[in-house]
Amino acid sequence: MRRVIRFRDLGREDVGLVGGKNASLGELITGLGPAGVRVPDGFATTADAYRELLDTGGLRERIAEQVDRLHGGAPLSEAGAAIRSAVLDTPLPTALAQDVLTAYGRLARDAGRTDPDVAVRSSATAEDLPEASFAGQQETFLNVRGAEALLDACRRCYASLFTDRAIDYRERMGFDHLALALSVGVQTMVRSDLAGAGVAFTLDTETGFPGVVVISAAWGLGETVVSGQVDPDEYTVFKPVLKDHRLDPVVQVQLGAKRRKAVYGEDGSTTTVDTDEDERARPVLGQGDVRTLAEWAVAVEEHYGCPMDLEWAKDGISGQLFLVQARPETVQSRRHGEVLRRFRLTGTGERLVDGIAVGEAVGAGPVCALAEPVGLERFPQGAVLVTEITDPDWEPLMKRAAAIVTDHGGRTSHAAIVSRELGVPAVVGTGSATAVLADGREVTVSCAEGAEGHVYAGRVGYEATEIDLGALPATRTKVMLNLADPGAAFRWWRLPADGVGLARTEFVVAHQVRVHPMALVHPERLSAEDRRLVDELTYGCPDRTDYFVERLAQGVARIAASRWPDPVVVRTSDFKTNEYARLVGGAPFEPTEANPMIGWRGASRYYDPGYVEGFALECRALRRARDELGLTNVVVMIPFCRTPREADRVLAVMADNGLARGANGLRVYVMAEIPANVLLAEQFAERFDGFSIGSNDLTQLTLGVDRDSALLAHLFDESDPAVTRSIESLIATAHAAGRHVGLCGQRPSNDPDFTRFLVQAGIDSISVTPDSFAAVKHAVARAEAGTDVPPREGRGIMGGNGLTHSWRSP
């Protein structure tokens, strides 16, 4: 009988022998070690050794008896405790204990150390399969040293096969408790207690977007990340540019609070301590480490042929990175099929707390705030579970919850992982949920608004739609998306859109930057309070202008990555002066205008001494997104450009700041929203590569109607002949010059007749909000089928998106 096998002698075909975790470690060492992927050495006990233990002292029969009691109605807690006690009371077979200690001695000699510290991990023989995951259900013991401690940890691993949560999961999944076996993996410890550790996924865990690697990192041992005790750093890496070492593939960095870390304890165990102020402010990983982990993650994914969930650790002594676990991702990778389900709030309510959104659904119910797990009878079905953190002991309650809210944890915490698997919306890492959300209070938990999740007072109305991704016909006219929130961009990657026709930088500036760009260039003009706010927001940035550039560049890059390689048209800032003034530090730089709508906005700001330095920061951000992050599908669009001479001045400023039209394939569009853009379309076409019709502004300026006036609403009509003739004229002139023409307004979403008009006029693209995509795509297809529209160059889209049905919350 083979009771112990070295990792290097194992491969992924050995799951039945040593479980998924240990088989995968062997596969990493043998299959990816030659490519430079580092994995700590170790060994595993076999399933045969576990069965030998079951045959010792009648243990198998004692377990079977308790399983029968459970099926007969005995409480899970009683049956589970009896089984664990029986396992712990049964001595390891002498041959198994001897083989474990012999392998441990070999590991010590190879490491050149006496009694080396090891991690002792459980690996069930049915775990980490694509159709099921037992991750986190069995125990792991860290910093185990010496023969006696090692054998004790092995016994406790065997007993952990019968934790209440593991028994419950197998019951739900239909696994035979005695048909499973458990392997114990013994692995040299990586001294991440002196550095950091975390996890990496080869897709976006919330949306399944496959174009990125998402890495979470915290100081110390990795158990704090998996358990949700800390809010970790998060790095998003764009796969398509990863292999080009001239480019920076990290499209987003979000620093977490990282208030605690797990380190070695004095007694040979581990303990959790507070981090210091420097650790909380500083990223765990440098750019080189992020890139290395992402490259390893992609190599593992390619080797296994499926999305992967990895654990990594960095040794604080050697400075080297290691992969310590690898398993198939089991939530998003199972979501096949061509139906996309989306939620949208239809009501409003007071926002109580915010955190990281897990999933994309909405849930509502009474708050059930708990400090520790309770019996099922004390947790009402459909309640909102509110607690500090969760661990596997919470899972029976989590299955009954309408939603879950925690104070701590990130996207890879236990609460997040289990919520995704259960399909329950969760908001984690709120920091204050247990203090704010009173027990019994009705709340609505929304994960349908992007990367940030919100908890609202009361039951807020919402609707859910199912979108059939296989129901859409091909169209010659491109249908694109209007996007603003980078956090929501990955939600729509499955939609077969032809790119993004309008990405508004104002959303990123207002919500993620929050500071007026000129306040970063000229802080001496700020009040004491504004200087304090700017210092707080830009903490850790030696050059405050870099704060603006990095935040805007990352927001643009995330949107561009979601549609790569299709074009993403990014409009430079188009705040009005009153809106700019509301940004932090904005008041000293903005005049008071009687009519900001037709005042100092758009292109007129970009070359003006009062804003040209701020526009330079916008240019730096766009250049970084394109030239350094590699998102060359970004098309820059200039809004509210009144004259050809103004266009020349703006293009000159852009070129001075490294954004020369044509350089590195840069295309520059202009918004067509002023009658002058139509009347002088030929001259604008000489300066720009395309036009995007802003139908709202074009209508109000053509008809002389304030689009915000309720008194004149009956006169505001994009289908007025004066407007439609302008659109027809612009399309004809632009096409004669070989220029693209699109429209990015709301009217096509609400008016199929207007869509038909645009198709008949020969529009190249129509850009709409994602929730309107299905209806507009069908309307375009019908318009093309019913009219003699001349063929134009363009990529046909097979498949699509048909709205099948919707429903609303009570």
Side-chain angles (χ1 to χ4, degrees):
M1 179 187 296
R2 299 181 70 189
R3 299 179 178 88
V4 172
I5 305 177
R6 295 182 301 177
F7 286 158
R8 69 188 66 175
D9 296 326
L10 294 168
R12 55 180 159 174
E13 69 280 359
D14 294 315
V15 171
L17 184 63
V18 295
K21 191 176 299 179
N22 291 331
S24 186
L25 287 170
E27 184 71 21
L28 290 176
I29 290 173
T30 58
L32 291 161
V37 176
R38 285 188 292 272
V39 180
D41 198 9
F43 60 89
T45 66
T46 65
D48 290 337
Y50 170 77
R51 296 185 182 101
E52 185 179 38
L53 172 65
L54 291 186
D55 292 334
T56 301
L59 180 58
R60 186 188 302 274
E61 290 74 19
R62 294 162 70 187
I63 294 173
E65 179 184 350
Q66 294 301 324
V67 171
D68 288 342
R69 287 188 63 237
L70 176 67
H71 292 163
L76 171 60
S77 58
E78 289 184 12
I83 294 174
R84 293 190 296 274
S85 178
V87 175
L88 290 172
D89 289 343
T90 303
L92 295 180
T94 302
L96 172 59
Q98 184 59 52
D99 286 355
V100 167
L101 295 181
T102 299
Y104 181 57
R106 186 188 308 116
L107 202 61
R109 290 192 299 274
D110 291 344
R113 294 153 57 192
T114 301
D115 290 342
D117 48 329
V118 293
V120 183
R121 306 180 189 275
S122 306
S123 179
T125 57
E127 74 173 357
D128 299 337
L129 302 176
E131 67 275 9
S133 175
F134 295 167
Q137 293 180 17
Q138 283 78 51
E139 298 290 353
T140 290
F141 302 96
L142 305 178
N143 190 24
V144 176
R145 301 180 188 181
E148 184 178 345
L150 174 58
L151 294 179
D152 180 62
C154 290
R155 281 193 297 271
R156 288 191 285 166
C157 281
Y158 286 133
S160 74
L161 186 59
F162 295 96
T163 61
D164 293 351
R165 58 187 178 268
I167 295 172
D168 177 72
Y169 183 81
R170 291 195 296 269
E171 286 288 310
R172 287 190 286 119
M173 297 295 291
F175 287 99
D176 183 343
H177 298 285
L178 285 169
L180 298 177
L182 188 126
S183 165
V184 178
V186 179
Q187 187 177 38
T188 303
M189 279 289 294
V190 177
R191 290 302 304 271
S192 60
D193 61 307
L194 304 176
V199 300
F201 286 86
T202 61
L203 45 63
D204 180 62
T205 53
E206 303 313 317
T207 65
F209 177 58
V212 293
V213 175
V214 180
I215 300 169
S216 295
W219 299 111
L221 302 170
E223 64 186 57
T224 59
V225 177
V226 176
S227 66
Q229 296 178 60
V230 298
D231 305 323
D233 295 343
E234 186 173 287
Y235 309 84
T236 303
V237 184
F238 187 45
K239 291 179 186 175
V241 302
L242 186 57
K243 293 182 179 179
D244 188 340
H245 282 260
R246 298 169 300 175
L247 301 173
D248 176 5
V250 184
V251 297
Q252 188 172 40
V253 178
Q254 291 182 310
L255 297 186
K258 307 185 296 289
R259 297 187 182 278
R260 305 278 285 169
K261 65 178 179 180
V263 297
Y264 280 12
E266 294 181 0
D267 60 352
S269 62
T270 63
T271 187
T272 304
V273 299
D274 290 338
T275 54
D276 59 41
E277 186 175 339
D278 176 68
E279 288 173 318
R280 295 174 189 179
R282 184 161 46 95
V284 175
L285 294 173
Q287 186 177 28
D289 286 342
V290 173
R291 184 175 208 123
T292 295
L293 287 174
E295 288 175 342
W296 287 0
V298 170
V300 173
E301 179 180 53
E302 291 175 348
H303 183 78
Y304 277 79
C306 65
M308 297 296 291
D309 168 3
L310 311 169
E311 293 185 25
W312 61 269
K314 184 174 182 178
D315 194 294
I317 299 174
S318 68
Q320 290 185 319
L321 291 166
F322 293 86
L323 293 185
V324 295
Q325 283 192 43
R327 51 182 167 259
E329 193 276 339
T330 58
V331 177
Q332 293 293 346
S333 57
R334 287 187 294 184
R335 292 181 180 171
H336 299 300
E338 296 190 336
V339 174
L340 188 64
R341 192 181 185 197
R342 286 293 175 261
F343 289 77
R344 182 177 69 88
L345 293 182
T346 58
T348 59
E350 178 191 358
R351 214 161 80 186
L352 302 176
V353 294
D354 306 314
I356 298 170
V358 178
E360 300 169 279
V362 177
V367 168
C368 186
L370 297 171
E372 58 186 23
V374 297
L376 295 181
E377 70 281 356
R378 293 175 57 191
F379 186 86
Q381 182 78 36
V384 174
L385 173 62
V386 176
T387 188
E388 290 187 1
I389 62 172
T390 67
D391 61 32
D393 291 330
W394 289 87
E395 290 178 22
L397 302 183
M398 296 169 77
K399 289 186 294 180
R400 297 171 62 89
I404 297 163
V405 186
T406 68
D407 284 346
H408 307 297
R411 298 185 193 283
T412 54
S413 64
H414 174 269
I417 292 170
V418 174
S419 296
R420 284 188 208 103
E421 183 172 302
L422 296 175
V424 175
V427 176
V428 301
T430 64
S432 60
T434 55
V436 174
L437 304 179
D439 198 56
R441 182 177 189 177
E442 294 279 344
V443 297
T444 299
V445 179
S446 172
C447 298
E449 301 167 81
E452 189 174 53
H454 308 294
V455 180
Y456 297 94
R459 287 184 178 261
V460 177
Y462 66 90
E463 69 175 11
T465 59
E466 287 189 351
I467 303 169
D468 184 354
L469 297 176
L472 192 68
T475 60
R476 295 188 297 272
T477 306
K478 294 183 177 182
V479 182
M480 307 173 80
L481 300 178
N482 294 336
L483 295 176
D485 180 3
F490 290 172
R491 295 177 61 200
W492 307 106
W493 72 272
R494 287 188 173 91
L495 290 182
D498 294 294
V500 173
L502 176 62
R504 298 185 293 274
T505 58
E506 300 94 88
F507 185 95
V508 181
V509 174
H511 292 85
Q512 297 182 11
V513 178
R514 297 175 54 196
V515 181
H516 194 292
M518 292 297 289
L520 299 169
V521 178
H522 291 289
E524 71 280 0
R525 295 177 59 181
L526 302 181
S527 67
E529 175 60 14
D530 279 348
R531 280 199 300 272
R532 185 192 67 79
L533 290 173
V534 169
D535 288 343
E536 184 178 298
L537 288 169
T538 61
Y539 181 79
C541 295
D543 183 344
R544 291 174 177 174
T545 61
D546 287 342
Y547 167 81
F548 182 95
V549 171
E550 283 300 316
R551 291 291 180 100
L552 181 54
Q554 289 181 12
V556 168
R558 188 176 173 93
I559 294 174
S562 73
R563 304 312 310 184
W564 175 270
D566 290 328
V568 172
V569 181
V570 178
R571 188 179 70 188
T572 48
S573 64
D574 193 26
F575 286 120
K576 286 74 174 176
T577 49
N578 58 323
E579 296 167 334
Y580 266 119
R582 289 197 290 267
L583 296 173
V584 175
F589 304 97
E590 299 299 328
T592 299
E593 295 185 296
N595 192 347
M597 182 70 75
I598 56 173
W600 191 40
R601 62 177 285 200
S604 62
R605 300 179 63 96
Y606 302 157
Y607 56 86
D608 189 289
Y611 189 75
V612 67
E613 293 168 295
F615 184 61
L617 299 186
E618 294 188 44
C619 292
R620 279 176 55 192
L622 292 168
R623 189 179 74 236
R624 172 154 170 70
R626 282 181 48 83
D627 298 345
E628 297 175 30
L629 301 180
L631 280 304
T632 52
N633 59 331
V634 168
V635 178
V636 177
M637 183 161 66
I638 304 301
F640 227 77
C641 187
R642 293 172 168 96
T643 68
R645 182 173 179 273
E646 189 167 64
D648 291 335
R649 299 184 70 175
V650 171
L651 291 169
V653 173
M654 290 176 60
D656 289 343
N657 286 282
L659 277 181
R661 179 185 166 207
N664 196 20
L666 174 62
R667 288 179 291 164
V668 183
Y669 286 4
V670 64
M671 288 289 291
E673 52 195 339
I674 304 169
N677 302 138
V678 178
L679 296 171
L680 301 178
E682 188 172 353
Q683 295 180 50
F684 280 103
E686 293 172 356
R687 292 160 171 82
F688 294 102
D689 300 291
F691 297 84
S692 182
I693 299 168
S695 57
N696 283 341
D697 273 349
L698 183 61
T699 300
Q700 79 167 344
L701 294 175
T702 299
L703 299 179
V705 174
D706 180 355
R707 71 187 194 188
D708 296 325
S709 171
L711 293 174
L712 301 177
H714 64 287
L715 294 175
F716 188 89
D717 184 5
E718 293 103 316
S719 63
D720 186 278
V723 180
T724 57
R725 288 180 188 177
S726 294
I727 292 173
E728 289 173 326
S729 173
L730 176 66
I731 292 173
T733 304
H735 284 176
R739 298 293 184 249
H740 173 96
V741 183
L743 183 139
C744 52
Q746 184 63 23
R747 187 62 180 262
S749 303
N750 305 326
D751 186 352
D753 290 337
F754 191 72
T755 300
R756 184 183 305 110
F757 154 72
L758 291 174
V759 172
Q760 291 174 334
I763 198 84
D764 294 297
S765 65
I766 299 172
S767 187
V768 297
T769 56
D771 57 353
S772 303
F773 183 86
V776 173
K777 189 71 169 172
H778 280 295
V780 168
R782 289 193 298 269
E784 290 181 348
T787 59
D788 185 16
V789 181
R792 301 185 304 278
E793 290 188 5
R795 179 172 62 83
I797 307 295
M798 298 307 297
N801 177 357
L803 192 62
T804 56
H805 63 277
S806 67
W807 62 97
R808 294 178 182 269
S809 66

